[in-house]
Amino acid sequence: MSSFNTHQRRAYDEGLPTRVRHTNLRSCLVQFAPYGFRATYHHLCLSAGIPKNLEKDPSSLIRAVEELHHARQLWLADERAYANSRRADKARGFRQVKADESWRSRQREWGNIAYCPEPTIHPDEPLPAVVERVLRSSVPPDEAPALTCRVCGKRDNTGVWHDGAHRIHQLCRECGVSLAVQWADAPDPLLAADQARRWKEIWRLRNESPRYSS
């Protein structure tokens, strides 16, 4: 698989067809997507103003990649600092990862910095601002971190969201971030079909009517 930097360069390359550049933007999201692939893609479509007809504003692809790149740089710096800290701990004989207040306690479960399972409900601030806030956030390990949103800091402010398949999420009402998840008793085929239809519209750049939680 090609690297983020390779796809980033291709998305910048004005000598390539806009559809190819757009595909490379999506490939960047495979490498780094703070809200998860779908919600991060939806966010960038809105924040960069990517039109359905890419030829109307090809520069929107550069704006989207730039926003993603700056957020990724913050994450990479945090990764380097964490790796250095772990090496120092191991050198002192502390090999077990200790519980702390950082975002990593949740990242190990979700694989994203601030996972938003519903593509259209996510923070609307620039990605670097949100990523930096999450990286600096703290939740005491003896509390229930699933009840505290690291993006907005609110606690016990959740709503239920069913993915239509196997999971029911507790989403932050302000940010759309998943704060807890449980297995659903049964799938909901109609709900799953509706969500698949809406994702197809997002995928085809029909993003005129974003929906945020209230």
Side-chain angles (χ1 to χ4, degrees), residues 16-26 41 45 48-64 203-205 207:
L16 294 174
T18 52
R19 285 291 170 185
V20 173
R21 295 170 63 195
H22 182 235
T23 297
N24 278 277
L25 166 63
R26 289 170 169 170
Y41 176 69
C45 287
I50 300 176
K52 187 173 187 296
N53 182 356
L54 293 171
E55 300 297 338
K56 289 184 177 180
D57 188 5
S59 294
S60 63
L61 299 175
I62 294 178
R63 294 194 296 271
W203 187 251
R204 293 175 177 173
L205 295 171
N207 299 305

Side-chain angles (χ1 to χ4, degrees), residues 127-158:
L127 280 178
V130 174
V131 168
E132 183 173 26
R133 189 180 308 134
V134 172
L135 295 180
R136 294 181 177 179
S137 67
S138 63
V139 175
D142 56 347
E143 288 188 18
L147 299 177
T148 303
C149 177
R150 294 181 183 274
V151 174
C152 67
K154 293 191 176 182
R155 183 177 174 86
D156 297 325
N157 182 31
T158 63

Side-chain angles (χ1 to χ4, degrees), residues 37-207:
F37 181 90
R38 294 185 175 192
T40 307
Y41 176 69
H42 182 260
H43 167 82
L44 291 175
C45 287
L46 297 178
S47 66
I50 300 176
K52 187 173 187 296
N53 182 356
L54 293 171
E55 300 297 338
K56 289 184 177 180
D57 188 5
S59 294
S60 63
L61 299 175
I62 294 178
R63 294 194 296 271
V65 173
E66 280 289 294
E67 182 178 350
L68 187 65
H69 166 73
H70 290 311
R72 182 172 177 266
Q73 290 300 105
L74 295 171
W75 172 73
L76 288 175
D78 187 81
E79 289 287 282
R80 288 191 293 269
Y82 178 73
N84 291 335
S85 175
R86 287 291 299 135
R87 280 194 292 270
D89 284 344
K90 291 178 181 179
R92 292 193 297 267
F94 303 118
R95 305 193 66 83
Q96 186 172 353
V97 178
K98 57 188 176 183
D100 60 21
E101 303 178 356
S102 77
W103 63 280
R104 295 178 185 280
S105 60
R106 299 298 296 164
Q107 191 270 348
R108 289 192 192 95
E109 181 173 347
W110 298 118
N112 307 103
I113 292 175
Y115 179 53
C116 301
E118 162 55 68
T120 63
I121 306 177
H122 47 73
D124 56 1
E125 297 174 86
L127 280 178
V130 174
V131 168
E132 183 173 26
R133 189 180 308 134
V134 172
L135 295 180
R136 294 181 177 179
S137 67
S138 63
V139 175
D142 56 347
E143 288 188 18
L147 299 177
T148 303
C149 177
R150 294 181 183 274
V151 174
C152 67
K154 293 191 176 182
R155 183 177 174 86
D156 297 325
N157 182 31
T158 63
V160 175
W161 184 82
H162 194 318
D163 66 3
H166 306 294
R167 293 186 174 186
I168 297 175
H169 294 262
Q170 293 286 336
L171 304 186
C172 172
R173 292 184 183 275
E174 294 293 324
C175 308
V177 176
S178 180
L179 305 180
V181 64
Q182 65 186 46
W183 289 104
D185 292 332
D188 186 331
L190 292 179
L191 181 58
D194 181 64
Q195 291 174 1
R197 176 189 58 77
R198 289 191 294 112
W199 167 241
K200 187 177 293 186
E201 292 178 351
I202 296 170
W203 187 251
R204 293 175 177 173
L205 295 171
R206 295 172 182 171
N207 299 305

